[in-house]
Amino acid sequence: MAITPVRDRSTIMVLNGPNLNLLGRRQPEIYGTDTLADIEKLVAETAAPHGLTTDCRQSNHEGQLIDWIHEARERHAAVIINPAGYSHTSVALRDALATCDGLPIVEVHISNIHQRETFRHHSYVSALASGVIAGCGVQGYAFAVERVAALLAAARA
């Protein structure tokens, strides 16, 4: 007999894609000086007053991100994702997110991808997202948590 996973309706999976492990050291003129650890602290502190927790993960590997999305669809309340470079290239990541039936998904980009190179203007993730936040620096992650909290509250009402 298979055990069905139980979705944790109070935990947001926060996924960060390739090269975001280098935040604070990589192109600070674009991404600022905050580190990934700073972002993880920010999202946890923003989620707490809403009775939410965060499960933060980062990978430079597309398949790992896909596996975590599959886990989130079964076990988490929502997904906040900064797909980084995979935003513009990964149909597989988009297809994994498409399996998250009804789960709030918020896409975050630290920089304004629409002010950058033309190839960054299109994201495969955006069409599936409940919201897209770009160009707000790391504060965009806090905005994403607030949006997820509002969407979850509305779904409970």
Side-chain angles (χ1 to χ4, degrees):
M1 181 164 125
I3 297 173
T4 304
V6 176
R7 182 174 284 171
D8 179 348
R9 305 255 182 226
S10 66
T11 301
I12 303 166
M13 179 159 303
V14 181
L15 296 177
N16 283 287
N19 300 310
L20 293 173
N21 56 307
L22 297 176
L23 286 173
R25 297 176 288 153
R26 174 183 169 242
Q27 296 177 287
E29 69 281 3
I30 295 173
Y31 301 109
T33 57
D34 290 303
T35 66
L36 190 56
D38 295 330
I39 290 169
E40 291 173 356
K41 182 179 181 213
L42 173 65
V43 295
E45 290 173 349
T46 306
H50 298 285
L52 299 169
T53 59
T54 55
D55 179 359
C56 299
R57 304 179 191 188
Q58 185 278 331
S59 181
N60 295 318
H61 305 281
E62 183 179 31
Q64 181 63 75
L65 292 166
I66 291 167
D67 288 344
W68 288 337
I69 292 166
H70 292 173
E71 180 183 338
R73 74 180 286 272
E74 298 288 336
R75 299 182 186 269
H76 291 75
V79 175
I80 294 172
I81 185 167
N82 182 340
Y86 289 138
S87 306
H88 325 293
T89 64
S90 182
V91 173
L93 198 64
R94 179 248 177 251
D95 288 349
L97 288 164
T99 71
C100 294
D101 308 318
L103 210 64
I105 299 167
V106 177
E107 179 182 6
V108 176
H109 296 281
I110 295 169
S111 67
N112 183 346
I113 60 175
H114 304 288
Q115 289 182 333
R116 297 184 64 194
E117 303 93 337
T118 304
F119 71 86
R120 295 186 195 275
H121 296 180
H122 173 74
S123 167
Y124 285 101
V125 172
S126 295
L128 299 171
S130 307
V132 178
I133 300 166
C136 297
V138 298
Q139 187 180 18
Y141 285 87
F143 295 154
V145 171
E146 293 291 346
R147 182 62 183 147
V148 163
L151 291 169
L152 293 173
R156 286 190 297 269

